[in-house]
Amino acid sequence: MDIPRMGVPEKLANRMNMAEQHEYLRSRLSRRSVLRTSAITVGALAVGGALGTGTAYAAPTSPTLLGDAASAVDGSKVIPVGRHLAFGPEPDTQFRVSWQVPVPVKKPFLRYGKTPWDLSHKVEAEIRALHTPALVPGQSPVDQYYVHVALEDLHPDTTYYYGVGHQGFDPAAQQAISALGTFTTAASRDHRWGKVYDPFTFTAFGDQGVSAHAANNDNVILAQNPKFHLHAGDICYADPDGQGLDADKADFKATTWDAFLVQTEAVAAKVPWMVAYGNHDMEAWYSPNGYGGEDARWFLPDNGPDKRVAPGVYSFRYSNVGVISLDANDVSYEIPANLGITAGRQTKWLDRTLKDFRNDETIDFVVVFFHHCAFSTTHQHASDGGVRDAWVPLFEKYRVDLVINGHNHVYERTDAILGNKVSKAIPSGATLEPAKDGVVYVTAGAAGRSIYSFDSPQTYEGHENRVDEVNTYHFVKGQQKVTETVEWSRVRYLGYSFIKVDVTPAHLGQKSSMKVTALTETGQQIDHYTIVRKVGEGWDSTTDDDGQGGGWGW
C-alpha cells in the first residue's frame, strides 16, 4: 500500500532522503505552527533542572514544565524499569548504565560498590525526555523518560553491584535490595603482558523485536554467561515499515520500546547490550537522520567518526578482541533513506580503526557487526551491493576475523570469501585462519521477528543438504536487483537462533581461538567452526599483497 508522505508531496518524497524531507518540512512550517501541531521533540533534562546534552530537533521541551511534573511525583511509587548496560570506549574502566521511568522523577541517581551492602558511590543521572505526539489521527501522544549514567575510572576486571533510584526510591534501602544488578569490567589493556587473558564468551544476533521467540533467545543467551552481547540492528520494531521515510509514522508505536526494554532487562541489566542501527531504527520524525529517538534511549561509545550524524558507529576493545559497530544505512543501496549521510567519513574511519586494531599487539581478533548483509541468499533481502562496494575491500585488506549481520531473518553462514568468491570451504566443524584463508560472514537475524525463506534448501548440522550453487541476487544503486549464482552459502537454517563466540586467548607465538557456534532458541547446536590467529601475527604497514601498502607479515 502506498502511504502518503505526511506533508511532503509524493513526487518530491520519492526523490528525497530522510534529511531532505526533514529540511523541507522545517522550511515549510514556522516555529509557531510546529508548536501548534506538537511536532516531535527530543530533549534532555539533567538532574536538578539544568539542561543536559540531548538535542531538540523541533520545539524544545520546557525544563520548567518537566520540573513541575517531577516535583508533583511521589517518587516512592515509581519503580525504575528496563535497565540496560553498555560499555564506554574503554570497557576495562568505563561503563554506561541506562534505565526508564514512567514519569519525570526528581534527582535520579545510581549507587554502586563492590558488595551489595556497600553502595557508597553515588552518581547523579540525566533524564533524556522523548515526546512523541499523535503522528496520525487516532494515535495518542507518548512521553518517555530515559535515564543515563556514565561511570568512569572503574577498576579493571572487577565486579560491581549497582542500583538505580531517585528521590523517594533508594536502592540501598533494605526493601529495595532485590533491585540490585551487577556488571564486570574487562581486564586491563596491560594485563596481557603479565599473563594470558582469561577465556570468555560473547553472543550476537539481529532483528529481535518483542515476542515469545525473542524471550526464548534471551533466556538461552543468559545461560551462556556472555561478557557482552551484540545486537546487529532492527532493535525493537516500533517502526515496522523500516523505510526511513516520514510515511513510516502511520504504523509507528512508541510504546513498543517500553515492552522491548522490559523484555530485554533480564539479560541487559547484567550483560552490556551493544547495538548497531538497522533500517527499522531510522525513526525519521525524530531527527534529520532518524536517530534522535535512539540517542534518547541508548548511551553508546562516542569514539566514532561523527556522533551527531552516525551515533551507532563506534568501537571498543574487550580482552584480545577489537569490536566495531557500523551504520549500514549510510551505504545501503536497498533502503537508501540515509545513503551517504556521513559523506564517506564512516568508511575512512573504518579504515583507520581496522589499521589501529591490527597494529595493536594486544588484539588478536577483529569483529565487525552491522545490519545489512554483505553476503546472504534469502528471498527477501539477499545481499546489499552498497556494503560490498564500501566495506568488503577493507574487510579483506585487514582480514577481519568475523563479520556479523542481521536484516535477513535467518541463520546463514558463508565459506571463507575473497573477491566475492570462495577462498576456502568451511564446513561445520572446520578451522579458519583469516590471515591466509579469507573472511567468513554470518547472518544472525533470527532473534525474534517472523522468519524469512531461502530459495535453496536448508543445510545445517544434523540436516546436511549441500548444493554447489545457489541462485540469488544483490542490490545495486537505484534499489535494483542483479541476479547472481554463488557458491559461498555454506549453512542455511530457518528458525529462531543466535550465535555465541567462545574466545580462548593464548601466549605470544601460540594461536588464540574463537569458536563460533549457532544455537537455536531451545539451545540446539546447528553450526560451529573455529577461527584461529597466531598471537603477535602483525600487520605490516609497508606493503600488502598487491604492493600498495599494508599487508600481512607471516
Side-chain angles (χ1 to χ4, degrees):
M1 181 175 65
D2 186 18
I3 304 174
R5 262 56 169 186
M6 302 303 295
V8 180
E10 184 174 351
K11 289 184 178 180
L12 285 177
N14 286 331
R15 299 197 301 269
M16 290 179 171
N17 63 26
M18 189 187 308
E20 290 168 338
Q21 290 187 48
H22 177 86
E23 185 61 31
Y24 175 88
L25 290 171
R26 187 169 63 176
S27 66
R28 293 290 300 272
L29 297 173
S30 67
R31 183 175 184 275
R32 181 176 180 182
S33 66
V34 170
L35 287 169
R36 186 171 59 246
T37 56
S38 299
I40 297 293
T41 298
V42 179
L45 183 68
V47 178
L51 285 174
T53 58
T55 303
Y57 291 101
T61 302
S62 165
T64 302
L65 293 176
L66 283 176
D68 290 346
S71 65
V73 169
D74 181 353
S76 66
K77 301 184 184 303
V78 179
I79 305 299
V81 297
R83 293 170 297 169
H84 50 286
L85 303 174
F87 292 132
E90 299 293 340
D92 56 343
T93 61
Q94 298 173 326
F95 256 74
R96 310 295 183 242
V97 184
S98 305
W99 64 98
Q100 188 175 4
V101 288
V103 291
V105 295
K106 199 170 184 180
K107 297 182 178 180
F109 61 86
L110 176 142
R111 289 187 181 275
Y112 72 100
K114 294 181 180 179
T115 65
W117 51 86
D118 183 13
L119 304 179
S120 56
H121 298 282
K122 184 177 180 181
V123 183
E124 291 185 338
E126 66 162 339
I127 296 179
R128 300 178 191 173
L130 182 64
H131 175 67
T132 308
L135 297 173
V136 296
Q139 285 186 352
S140 299
V142 176
D143 288 298
Q144 293 163 305
Y145 305 94
Y146 302 100
V147 193
H148 303 275
V149 165
L151 298 178
E152 309 285 343
D153 301 320
L154 299 169
H155 293 157
D157 200 15
T158 301
T159 296
Y160 290 91
Y161 293 81
Y162 75 93
V164 298
H166 47 262
Q167 183 172 297
F169 179 86
D170 191 336
Q174 185 66 32
Q175 66 269 24
I177 198 73
S178 62
L180 300 185
T182 62
F183 62 85
T184 302
T185 53
S188 169
R189 290 181 63 88
D190 299 328
H191 177 88
R192 171 159 238 170
W193 309 125
K195 63 177 182 177
V196 176
Y197 290 118
D198 291 333
F200 68 94
T201 297
F202 68 90
T203 52
F205 61 38
D207 304 74
Q208 188 176 32
V210 181
S211 71
H213 298 293
N216 290 342
N217 265 336
D218 283 355
N219 290 335
V220 182
I221 284 171
L222 193 58
Q224 311 310 310
N225 192 29
K227 295 300 183 183
F228 56 89
H229 178 74
L230 306 178
H231 191 153
D234 283 6
I235 302 169
C236 90
Y237 288 84
D239 173 11
D241 293 331
Q243 296 301 305
L245 300 174
D246 192 65
D248 292 0
K249 67 175 61 174
D251 297 316
F252 181 72
K253 188 175 181 180
T255 53
T256 302
W257 279 105
D258 302 342
F260 174 82
L261 290 174
V262 169
Q263 168 190 274
T264 307
E265 185 174 19
V267 180
K270 307 177 182 70
V271 178
W273 194 280
M274 309 303 293
V275 300
Y277 294 151
N279 55 294
H280 286 272
D281 306 313
M282 296 186 291
E283 297 165 343
W285 38 94
Y286 286 126
S287 74
N289 294 328
Y291 300 135
E294 309 298 359
D295 277 342
R297 303 175 190 111
W298 302 97
F299 197 170
L300 301 174
D302 58 359
N303 58 355
D306 190 333
K307 187 177 186 301
R308 182 186 61 84
V309 173
V313 182
Y314 57 89
S315 67
F316 65 90
R317 174 194 172 281
Y318 190 97
S319 184
N320 64 331
V321 177
V323 182
I324 297 173
S325 169
L326 297 176
D327 182 358
N329 294 315
D330 181 30
V331 298
S332 173
Y333 291 161
E334 180 197 3
I335 303 172
N338 269 351
L339 180 61
I341 56 170
T342 72
R345 292 191 300 275
Q346 177 177 200
T347 300
K348 291 179 181 177
W349 173 86
L350 172 62
D351 194 350
R352 293 193 306 271
T353 304
L354 287 172
K355 185 176 182 179
D356 288 345
F357 277 171
R358 284 303 183 210
N359 283 330
D360 187 336
E361 293 181 342
T362 68
I363 292 177
D364 297 331
F365 300 107
V366 175
V367 175
V368 181
F369 74 109
F370 55 92
H371 189 60
H372 303 65
C373 296
F375 297 99
S376 183
T377 64
T378 66
H379 183 81
Q380 285 74 9
H381 294 301
S383 307
D384 197 309
V387 173
R388 290 187 186 179
D389 289 350
W391 296 340
V392 166
L394 294 177
F395 299 156
E396 295 184 358
K397 175 181 178 181
Y398 295 101
R399 294 296 199 272
V400 167
D401 297 286
L402 177 61
V403 177
I404 302 168
N405 299 138
H407 200 42
N408 287 298
H409 301 179
V410 297
Y411 176 78
E412 185 172 17
R413 178 177 63 75
T414 72
D415 286 319
I417 295 176
L418 288 175
N420 201 30
K421 297 179 180 179
V422 174
S423 53
K424 181 180 179 180
I426 309 293
S428 187
T431 296
L432 166 75
E433 296 189 60
K436 62 180 181 180
D437 295 335
V439 183
V440 167
Y441 298 80
V442 174
T443 299
R449 293 292 284 189
S450 58
I451 297 297
Y452 286 174
S453 62
F454 294 114
D455 291 331
S456 296
Q458 296 184 74
T459 176
Y460 54 91
E461 278 188 33
H463 187 86
E464 300 290 346
N465 194 1
R466 174 69 181 166
V467 294
D468 292 332
E469 294 183 340
V470 173
N471 294 319
T472 182
Y473 64 91
H474 66 275
F475 282 93
V476 297
K477 287 183 179 179
Q479 299 177 283
Q480 300 299 307
K481 297 178 180 178
V482 173
T483 59
E484 59 182 348
T485 300
V486 303
E487 299 176 351
W488 40 252
S489 179
R490 172 59 61 170
V491 180
R492 296 178 298 278
Y493 174 74
L494 298 175
Y496 295 98
S497 57
F498 66 95
I499 65 170
K500 75 164 181 171
V501 183
D502 297 311
V503 182
T504 305
H507 287 284
L508 184 66
Q510 297 179 340
K511 290 182 178 180
S512 295
S513 68
M514 289 201 308
K515 181 183 178 183
V516 182
T517 304
L519 297 175
T520 71
E521 64 175 325
T522 59
Q524 175 190 354
Q525 180 173 302
I526 54 171
D527 184 30
H528 76 284
Y529 72 102
T530 301
I531 305 165
V532 297
R533 188 174 286 275
K534 187 176 180 180
V535 179
E537 179 179 49
W539 169 259
D540 180 359
S541 62
T542 61
T543 182
D544 65 9
D545 297 339
D546 59 8
Q548 299 301 308
W552 291 104
W554 290 293

